[in-house]
Amino acid sequence: MEKADIFKFAGLLAFFALLVLTCVLIWPFLSDIFEPGGIERIIAQVRSAGVVGFLILLGMQFLQIVVAFIPGEVVQVAAGVLYGPWLGALIILVGCIISSAFIFMLVHKLGAPFVQSVVPTKYLDKFRAFEKSGRLNIVVFILFLIPGLPKDVFTYLVPLTDIKMSTFLLLSNIGRIPGILMSTYAADKFIEGNYTESIVMFLVVGGIGLLGIIFQKRIMSFLEKHTHRSK
């Protein structure tokens, strides 16, 4: 196996190990999950685990970005359910910052060949074009702000440009905040029983995300065209 394959396999294995550990912690409560107050008891159990529960969720968020193809919304919803909209969002954001810094340093150490074996690099030339245009910073912020775009892939590609790590961490993670907050807030409202508000928010986020997925090539081309125009 190549180093990149080992890296991805180890990350995925660690993610599922944390998932299993979480299930072990809440196993005594799973039998009455559909009983009155069952979900509340599970949430209370995870919260009572203190720093252990916090670190498990933080680790899952870290691995979600590092492995790159695990859906981030799953971890965000779990954070909203277990810790509420604000603390849940903070945990996710801390995980994003740590994982982005880790990937940035890893990419700078192992270089482009490693990145090319870990994630699709079809947008790499566009990032280099953004870099030459002098508009890379604003493009990074926009791309991490729009739901549905492959942010975890971008996290591997952007460090191949000359952007500073501090700038990248600031712009990319500020861009992530609205999407994270909407996911954790909607999940929290669902647990509270505000189903209509929660479903509407999930539909809005999901709809925007679907548009982002469908039109990601056009978005990238539009940004490339307009950054060159404004050069």
Side-chain angles (χ1 to χ4, degrees), residues 45-122:
Q45 172 70 3
V46 174
R47 289 179 178 176
S48 68
V51 69
V52 174
F54 177 89
L55 289 175
I56 288 174
L57 187 60
L58 188 65
M60 291 178 72
Q61 178 57 37
F62 172 84
L63 290 167
Q64 180 270 314
I65 292 179
V66 169
V67 176
F69 56 83
I70 298 172
E73 290 74 17
V74 174
V75 185
Q76 292 172 17
V77 169
V81 168
L82 296 173
Y83 292 101
W86 304 110
L87 181 56
L90 179 61
I91 295 171
I92 294 298
L93 186 60
V94 170
C96 289
I97 293 170
I98 294 173
S99 56
S100 297
F102 172 78
I103 291 171
F104 194 98
M105 292 185 290
L106 193 68
V107 169
H108 274 245
K109 182 176 179 61
L110 299 180
F114 170 75
V115 174
Q116 290 166 355
S117 60
V118 173
V119 298
T121 56
K122 59 183 179 180

Side-chain angles (χ1 to χ4, degrees), residues 25-42:
L25 288 174
I26 65 174
W27 183 260
F29 298 87
L30 289 180
S31 59
D32 64 346
I33 189 171
F34 296 109
E35 298 296 325
I39 294 178
E40 287 79 5
R41 286 191 290 274
I42 290 176

Side-chain angles (χ1 to χ4, degrees), residues 91-174:
I91 295 171
I92 294 298
L93 186 60
V94 170
C96 289
I97 293 170
I98 294 173
S99 56
S100 297
F102 172 78
I103 291 171
F104 194 98
M105 292 185 290
L106 193 68
V107 169
H108 274 245
K109 182 176 179 61
L110 299 180
F114 170 75
V115 174
Q116 290 166 355
S117 60
V118 173
V119 298
T121 56
K122 59 183 179 180
Y123 292 133
L124 182 56
D125 289 340
K126 292 189 183 296
F127 277 110
R128 287 174 174 157
F130 296 143
E131 180 182 8
K132 291 178 181 177
S133 74
R135 306 291 181 180
L136 178 62
N137 289 356
I138 186 63
V139 169
V140 168
F141 175 75
I142 292 171
L143 292 178
F144 278 83
L145 180 65
I146 300 174
L149 298 185
K151 298 178 180 63
D152 301 338
V153 173
F154 295 160
T155 303
Y156 279 91
L157 297 179
V158 176
L160 292 174
T161 68
D162 64 355
I163 194 171
K164 293 181 179 179
M165 183 168 76
S166 57
T167 303
F168 171 63
L169 294 180
L170 181 66
L171 295 174
S172 63
N173 287 294
I174 289 178

Side-chain angles (χ1 to χ4, degrees), residues 184-210:
T184 55
Y185 185 83
D188 180 66
K189 288 301 176 185
F190 189 84
I191 292 299
E192 288 181 354
N194 297 326
Y195 302 121
T196 301
E197 184 178 357
S198 175
I199 291 171
V200 168
M201 291 189 68
F202 277 129
L203 287 175
V204 169
V205 174
I208 297 173
L210 182 61

